[in-house]
Amino acid sequence: MSFTAAGPALQQAPSGLVRCWESPAPYCLQTSLRILVRGKQDPTIRLGPGVAWLAFLTPEGPATLHLREEPVPAPGARVRARAWGPGARCALDSVPALLGEHDDWSGFDDDGFLATLPRMVTETRRRNLSLRLPSTGRIMDSLIPVVLEQKVTVLEAYYAWRYLVTRYGVDAPGPAPSGMKASPAPETWRKIPSWDWHRARVDLSRSATILRACALASGLERLAGDPLGEDLTAKLCSVPGIGVWSAAEITQRTHGAPDSVSVGDYHLAAYVGAALTGKRTDDAGMLELLAPWRGHRQRVVRMIMLSGYRKPTYGPKLAPMDHRRR
């Protein structure tokens, strides 16, 4: 894999800074980056077939990143990356990890390992050889929406993220699609008044966790350079309000964690159990089922999700709560 300047030099121009990323293996932007999207109206990312727009803050300022797949002879892949704004160079530097350059599936794709997997998983992998697990390296951009998803419906969390980022985020530089914003800086999150947390339907517990994390943002961001493992999880969980579920969800995005399982998720254990055995299970049961594939458990979960399997539903759905009345 390689990441090179497009043309004789890397230049800032109205068309932005440009580089190309190439891989001898297949790659799909839409499948790989889907985990970063927080609903169809997420103001920080626009994702479609073969194209992605992302807006985020870097140490040098806001940046807009545009990614587009380009045709190359099979089975290789090429993605042209273009960036605008004060953080354009930082954004381009993050592209290889973002696209999953260091995400190594060789152990998973080994014939001996594949032979241990259910057919649902192996068939889904065969159809999705272009999937990579992305590593954004941006802790706060993953931590805050994960906290918003704690103990509420996905629709509630997506609404809160969209409302707060649209209201307090930084306009995406360059020719970004209308309405795109970079997530607010930690100091901006800390200045959001209580009434806007209520308008976003965020309860006191979640807003307090976000404010605590923002007070520790500089230290938390340095964790992007830490290796995966129990020590990293412990450091994330040292923030009151961040537990093992949140830590798993964060590192799946920031580090491309191939073995991270979201223990404590409202739906995941029952879903995995139903997919693998036909019966629902709890977290302990899910971990037991996934134990033979330790090291690749998140990959197995992603394959199950991509398989199209839908577990049977019983009883009423979890009703959204309106925290504006509290």
Side-chain angles (χ1 to χ4, degrees):
M1 285 173 272
S2 63
F3 191 46
T4 59
L10 185 65
Q11 300 178 350
Q12 179 75 62
S15 58
L17 295 178
V18 182
R19 285 179 177 172
C20 287
W21 177 82
E22 297 183 351
S23 169
Y27 180 78
C28 177
L29 269 174
Q30 190 170 24
T31 305
S32 300
L33 300 189
R34 186 178 298 155
I35 192 175
L36 305 180
V37 181
R38 309 288 180 171
K40 294 181 180 179
Q41 299 181 57
D42 186 341
T44 66
I45 183 169
R46 298 285 189 274
L47 187 60
V51 64
W53 289 89
L54 299 93
F56 50 89
L57 298 183
T58 77
E60 296 181 1
T64 297
L65 181 64
H66 178 248
L67 304 168
R68 181 179 294 279
E69 295 173 8
E70 294 190 337
V72 294
R78 178 192 294 143
V79 175
R80 181 175 293 267
R82 192 183 302 268
W84 296 265
R89 288 180 182 271
C90 284
L92 289 180
D93 289 343
S94 74
V95 166
L98 176 66
L99 298 183
E101 180 170 294
H102 309 298
D103 181 30
D104 183 7
W105 285 75
S106 59
F108 188 95
D109 292 332
D110 178 79
D111 288 343
F113 187 83
L114 289 173
T116 70
L117 292 165
R119 183 174 180 180
M120 169 195 289
V121 175
T122 57
E123 283 298 304
T124 305
R125 175 58 180 163
R126 183 182 60 81
R127 297 193 304 269
N128 290 275
L129 294 174
S130 56
L131 169 69
R132 308 278 180 86
L133 304 182
S135 299
T136 67
R138 301 191 305 274
I139 298 289
M140 297 304 295
D141 277 1
S142 294
L143 182 151
I144 291 172
V146 164
V147 172
L148 291 175
E149 292 175 6
Q150 293 176 350
K151 299 181 180 180
V152 297
T153 66
V154 169
L155 292 179
E156 288 177 279
Y158 288 169
Y159 172 84
W161 175 248
R162 182 174 70 251
Y163 176 90
L164 292 168
V165 173
T166 299
R167 190 167 180 83
Y168 292 99
V170 179
D171 290 340
S178 176
M180 283 202 72
K181 300 264 190 174
S183 176
E187 56 268 24
T188 303
W189 283 106
R190 296 178 70 186
K191 294 177 182 177
I192 295 176
S194 59
W195 53 85
D196 261 344
W197 289 108
H198 283 282
R199 286 171 180 160
R201 306 172 190 171
V202 179
D203 58 58
L204 181 59
S205 174
R206 288 180 292 152
S207 63
T209 298
I210 290 171
L211 295 178
R212 282 192 293 267
C214 286
L216 303 169
S218 59
L220 289 171
E221 288 292 3
R222 287 195 292 271
L223 298 181
D226 283 16
L228 287 165
E230 293 182 0
D231 188 53
L232 174 59
T233 297
K235 289 176 181 178
L236 288 169
C237 291
S238 68
V239 180
I242 301 293
V244 291
W245 176 84
S246 298
E249 290 283 318
I250 292 165
T251 56
Q252 286 165 22
R253 294 161 175 84
T254 59
H255 289 68
D259 194 49
S260 174
V261 183
S262 301
V263 174
D265 189 273
Y266 187 77
H267 299 285
L268 185 64
Y271 176 76
V272 170
L276 295 179
T277 69
K279 298 180 181 179
R280 297 180 175 217
T281 189
D282 56 13
D283 283 328
M286 174 179 66
L287 292 177
E288 184 177 354
L289 288 171
L290 295 174
W293 308 304
R294 181 174 291 277
H296 298 281
R297 291 177 298 177
Q298 176 59 202
R299 301 191 202 280
V300 173
V301 171
R302 292 293 300 278
M303 290 299 103
I304 295 173
M305 290 178 170
L306 285 170
S307 71
Y309 175 79
R310 296 291 181 269
K311 68 177 174 65
T313 57
Y314 307 97
K317 295 181 178 180
L318 180 66
M321 297 177 65
D322 190 347
H323 300 283
R324 294 173 298 177
R325 298 179 181 274
R326 294 174 179 268

